Amino acid sequence: MLSAVVWEATRRGQDELAAAAAVGLVSVSGDRLGHHRDGERWENHARALLDRIGLEGILRARLENNSGNLDYRRHRLDDAAAHYQKALHLRREARGERDPGLAAWTVNLGNVQLARRDFEQATKTLEEAQRLAQETLPAAHPTNATVLVTLGVVPVSYTHLRA
């Protein structure tokens, strides 16, 4: 169990490992299982560990992305957007512009903009995700399909609202 990793790593003074497991639990508990309060507790725990050890980088980026997913599921769109923007910034700092993971995380931000009905910005963001995917991923990678499907939702959503 992932929570056991958090506690055992904490006992051993392996704060980075404990933080990584807690970051994972934000996603598993709060996002995928829909246990939002548990996800928020793990988010706070991970954030406290990362703050104490002064770690930014990719692990902090993952926390921000997972926190964005949690807030998106709770319909806290402004908070989700802020987390996603910070996650993208930190990921770029840690891994550069040619990081293949940027495309999927950019789709997350596009989904928030779509949910806010900001179709123009969602289109721009998703076109950026498409560019990133085309430049960094093989053509058959599932993120390419995700980008195209999400881009296809924008005009359908806009048309549906106007009908």
Side-chain angles (χ1 to χ4, degrees):
M1 181 177 251
L2 201 50
S3 61
V5 173
V6 173
W7 306 128
E8 187 58 29
T10 300
R11 273 188 214 73
R12 295 176 184 224
Q14 297 173 318
D15 290 341
E16 190 170 343
L17 177 59
V23 167
L25 282 162
V26 174
S27 178
V28 172
S29 293
D31 179 20
R32 297 179 193 258
L33 294 177
H35 301 164
H36 300 151
R37 287 185 183 153
D38 288 342
E40 188 172 355
R41 281 190 281 274
W42 287 117
E43 175 187 12
N44 291 333
H45 190 79
R47 198 169 298 285
L49 283 166
L50 292 174
D51 288 349
R52 187 176 79 202
I53 61 178
L55 192 62
E56 291 297 318
I58 195 65
L59 190 54
R60 178 75 70 165
R62 283 189 185 116
L63 174 59
E64 293 298 335
N65 188 68
N66 291 354
S67 297
N69 291 341
L70 178 60
D71 282 334
Y72 181 79
R73 298 284 181 250
R74 295 186 294 183
H75 307 287
R76 297 178 181 174
L77 299 180
D78 291 341
D79 293 336
H83 285 299
Y84 289 145
Q85 289 166 342
K86 187 167 185 179
L88 287 165
H89 172 75
L90 290 168
R91 187 165 191 139
R92 280 185 169 95
E93 278 187 351
R95 297 213 170 144
E97 189 65 30
R98 304 276 310 153
D99 176 25
L102 280 172
W105 285 15
T106 302
V107 171
N108 291 343
L109 180 58
N111 279 327
V112 168
Q113 294 160 341
L114 185 57
R116 287 175 162 169
R117 298 179 178 170
D118 185 351
F119 301 114
E120 185 177 329
Q121 190 58 50
T123 300
K124 289 177 185 176
T125 299
L126 293 167
E127 286 173 347
E128 172 67 5
Q130 184 177 32
R131 181 192 67 77
L132 289 164
Q134 288 173 343
E135 290 178 2
T136 62
L137 297 169
H141 194 279
T143 297
N144 285 301
T146 300
V147 171
L148 290 174
V149 167
T150 309
L151 256 172
V153 168
V154 175
V156 171
S157 298
Y158 180 74
T159 301
H160 179 73
L161 281 175
R162 293 181 51 99

